[in-house]
Amino acid sequence: TWQVLVFDRNQGGSRSLLNPVEVENVTRQVADAMLPNWLAANVTYYRFEGRRGAAMSWDWNCKLFASYDTVVLVHGAAVSNTVCMRQGAGLIEILPQQGNPTKYSMFEPLAAQLKLVRRAVPCAVKQDDFNGIVQPETTALEKALHSVFGAMLRKSHVDRFVV
């Protein structure tokens, strides 16, 4: 099974998804369309409901991110958990739309160093405020997912599924 995580924050909180069902559905549709018939996709939506100072342990976070083949999430501290992902895993990072979205992310070079297949998805924000509720463009998300899944399939990431 190809494991995909859609990671969200407190509903209505800073950098939470305005359209989580749509993000999950687009992710599932692309995975179902792109993966070989013998490889099922399991898309999991997870909303972190923690409060300031109530974060899960590093061990817990590391195990969570390591157990997925692809992670979709909004730019923020949670992206640092990608250091626990397997080489060749996919990362979709939702970022502010102004200019080149990758310029906002310190995680781009980290993902490259970890040999993750990373794509940025823009989202509209008010001025330079990226701490509100986030709504990624679903067409851009779909394109990024196609790109990540395609690259992962070409890099024989599916070899680990062959018995």
PDB file of all heavy atoms in Angstrom, residues 67-80:
ATOM      1  N   SER A  67       6.542   6.776   8.373  1.00  0.00           N
ATOM      2  CA  SER A  67       5.644   5.706   7.953  1.00  0.00           C
ATOM      3  C   SER A  67       4.863   6.036   6.673  1.00  0.00           C
ATOM      4  O   SER A  67       4.056   5.228   6.216  1.00  0.00           O
ATOM      5  CB  SER A  67       4.679   5.339   9.086  1.00  0.00           C
ATOM      6  OG  SER A  67       3.866   6.436   9.406  1.00  0.00           O
ATOM      7  N   TYR A  68       5.124   7.188   6.073  1.00  0.00           N
ATOM      8  CA  TYR A  68       4.395   7.583   4.861  1.00  0.00           C
ATOM      9  C   TYR A  68       5.345   7.718   3.672  1.00  0.00           C
ATOM     10  O   TYR A  68       6.484   8.119   3.808  1.00  0.00           O
ATOM     11  CB  TYR A  68       3.634   8.895   5.093  1.00  0.00           C
ATOM     12  CG  TYR A  68       2.437   8.667   5.979  1.00  0.00           C
ATOM     13  CD1 TYR A  68       2.542   8.786   7.358  1.00  0.00           C
ATOM     14  CD2 TYR A  68       1.221   8.264   5.438  1.00  0.00           C
ATOM     15  CE1 TYR A  68       1.449   8.537   8.179  1.00  0.00           C
ATOM     16  CE2 TYR A  68       0.133   8.008   6.247  1.00  0.00           C
ATOM     17  CZ  TYR A  68       0.251   8.142   7.612  1.00  0.00           C
ATOM     18  OH  TYR A  68      -0.819   7.880   8.426  1.00  0.00           O
ATOM     19  N   ASP A  69       4.799   7.401   2.507  1.00  0.00           N
ATOM     20  CA  ASP A  69       5.551   7.533   1.261  1.00  0.00           C
ATOM     21  C   ASP A  69       5.512   8.969   0.749  1.00  0.00           C
ATOM     22  O   ASP A  69       6.445   9.429   0.098  1.00  0.00           O
ATOM     23  CB  ASP A  69       4.976   6.588   0.197  1.00  0.00           C
ATOM     24  CG  ASP A  69       5.045   5.150   0.655  1.00  0.00           C
ATOM     25  OD1 ASP A  69       6.166   4.645   0.816  1.00  0.00           O
ATOM     26  OD2 ASP A  69       3.981   4.539   0.884  1.00  0.00           O
ATOM     27  N   THR A  70       4.411   9.659   1.015  1.00  0.00           N
ATOM     28  CA  THR A  70       4.242  11.049   0.596  1.00  0.00           C
ATOM     29  C   THR A  70       3.516  11.800   1.699  1.00  0.00           C
ATOM     30  O   THR A  70       2.577  11.274   2.294  1.00  0.00           O
ATOM     31  CB  THR A  70       3.421  11.132  -0.714  1.00  0.00           C
ATOM     32  OG1 THR A  70       4.066  10.354  -1.719  1.00  0.00           O
ATOM     33  CG2 THR A  70       3.295  12.563  -1.206  1.00  0.00           C
ATOM     34  N   VAL A  71       3.947  13.038   1.949  1.00  0.00           N
ATOM     35  CA  VAL A  71       3.303  13.888   2.944  1.00  0.00           C
ATOM     36  C   VAL A  71       2.906  15.203   2.275  1.00  0.00           C
ATOM     37  O   VAL A  71       3.705  15.810   1.563  1.00  0.00           O
ATOM     38  CB  VAL A  71       4.234  14.159   4.152  1.00  0.00           C
ATOM     39  CG1 VAL A  71       3.588  15.131   5.130  1.00  0.00           C
ATOM     40  CG2 VAL A  71       4.599  12.861   4.855  1.00  0.00           C
ATOM     41  N   VAL A  72       1.666  15.630   2.523  1.00  0.00           N
ATOM     42  CA  VAL A  72       1.136  16.912   2.042  1.00  0.00           C
ATOM     43  C   VAL A  72       0.892  17.769   3.277  1.00  0.00           C
ATOM     44  O   VAL A  72       0.152  17.344   4.177  1.00  0.00           O
ATOM     45  CB  VAL A  72      -0.189  16.712   1.270  1.00  0.00           C
ATOM     46  CG1 VAL A  72      -0.752  18.052   0.810  1.00  0.00           C
ATOM     47  CG2 VAL A  72      -0.008  15.753   0.101  1.00  0.00           C
ATOM     48  N   LEU A  73       1.507  18.968   3.350  1.00  0.00           N
ATOM     49  CA  LEU A  73       1.298  19.820   4.514  1.00  0.00           C
ATOM     50  C   LEU A  73       1.619  21.268   4.212  1.00  0.00           C
ATOM     51  O   LEU A  73       2.267  21.570   3.216  1.00  0.00           O
ATOM     52  CB  LEU A  73       2.117  19.331   5.708  1.00  0.00           C
ATOM     53  CG  LEU A  73       3.608  19.607   5.754  1.00  0.00           C
ATOM     54  CD1 LEU A  73       4.142  19.282   7.146  1.00  0.00           C
ATOM     55  CD2 LEU A  73       4.361  18.802   4.737  1.00  0.00           C
ATOM     56  N   VAL A  74       1.145  22.135   5.083  1.00  0.00           N
ATOM     57  CA  VAL A  74       1.387  23.573   4.967  1.00  0.00           C
ATOM     58  C   VAL A  74       2.748  23.888   5.580  1.00  0.00           C
ATOM     59  O   VAL A  74       3.126  23.323   6.611  1.00  0.00           O
ATOM     60  CB  VAL A  74       0.277  24.368   5.688  1.00  0.00           C
ATOM     61  CG1 VAL A  74       0.547  25.876   5.634  1.00  0.00           C
ATOM     62  CG2 VAL A  74      -1.089  24.052   5.071  1.00  0.00           C
ATOM     63  N   HIS A  75       3.466  24.804   4.944  1.00  0.00           N
ATOM     64  CA  HIS A  75       4.776  25.244   5.427  1.00  0.00           C
ATOM     65  C   HIS A  75       4.695  25.654   6.891  1.00  0.00           C
ATOM     66  O   HIS A  75       3.788  26.358   7.311  1.00  0.00           O
ATOM     67  CB  HIS A  75       5.260  26.426   4.592  1.00  0.00           C
ATOM     68  CG  HIS A  75       6.496  27.063   5.126  1.00  0.00           C
ATOM     69  ND1 HIS A  75       7.745  26.543   4.892  1.00  0.00           N
ATOM     70  CD2 HIS A  75       6.671  28.163   5.906  1.00  0.00           C
ATOM     71  CE1 HIS A  75       8.642  27.308   5.498  1.00  0.00           C
ATOM     72  NE2 HIS A  75       8.009  28.298   6.108  1.00  0.00           N
ATOM     73  N   GLY A  76       5.643  25.191   7.676  1.00  0.00           N
ATOM     74  CA  GLY A  76       5.721  25.532   9.092  1.00  0.00           C
ATOM     75  C   GLY A  76       6.656  24.567   9.790  1.00  0.00           C
ATOM     76  O   GLY A  76       7.330  23.740   9.163  1.00  0.00           O
ATOM     77  N   ALA A  77       6.695  24.654  11.095  1.00  0.00           N
ATOM     78  CA  ALA A  77       7.617  23.850  11.893  1.00  0.00           C
ATOM     79  C   ALA A  77       7.457  22.353  11.660  1.00  0.00           C
ATOM     80  O   ALA A  77       8.439  21.607  11.729  1.00  0.00           O
ATOM     81  CB  ALA A  77       7.436  24.170  13.378  1.00  0.00           C
ATOM     82  N   ALA A  78       6.255  21.896  11.367  1.00  0.00           N
ATOM     83  CA  ALA A  78       6.030  20.459  11.164  1.00  0.00           C
ATOM     84  C   ALA A  78       6.847  19.906   9.997  1.00  0.00           C
ATOM     85  O   ALA A  78       7.165  18.712   9.968  1.00  0.00           O
ATOM     86  CB  ALA A  78       4.548  20.170  10.942  1.00  0.00           C
ATOM     87  N   VAL A  79       7.208  20.770   9.048  1.00  0.00           N
ATOM     88  CA  VAL A  79       7.995  20.307   7.899  1.00  0.00           C
ATOM     89  C   VAL A  79       9.372  19.813   8.348  1.00  0.00           C
ATOM     90  O   VAL A  79       9.986  18.986   7.678  1.00  0.00           O
ATOM     91  CB  VAL A  79       8.116  21.401   6.818  1.00  0.00           C
ATOM     92  CG1 VAL A  79       8.840  20.883   5.585  1.00  0.00           C
ATOM     93  CG2 VAL A  79       6.738  21.917   6.404  1.00  0.00           C
ATOM     94  N   SER A  80       9.846  20.254   9.505  1.00  0.00           N
ATOM     95  CA  SER A  80      11.145  19.784   9.995  1.00  0.00           C
ATOM     96  C   SER A  80      11.134  18.280  10.261  1.00  0.00           C
ATOM     97  O   SER A  80      12.187  17.639  10.275  1.00  0.00           O
ATOM     98  CB  SER A  80      11.567  20.544  11.251  1.00  0.00           C
ATOM     99  OG  SER A  80      10.670  20.286  12.311  1.00  0.00           O
TER     100      SER A  80
END
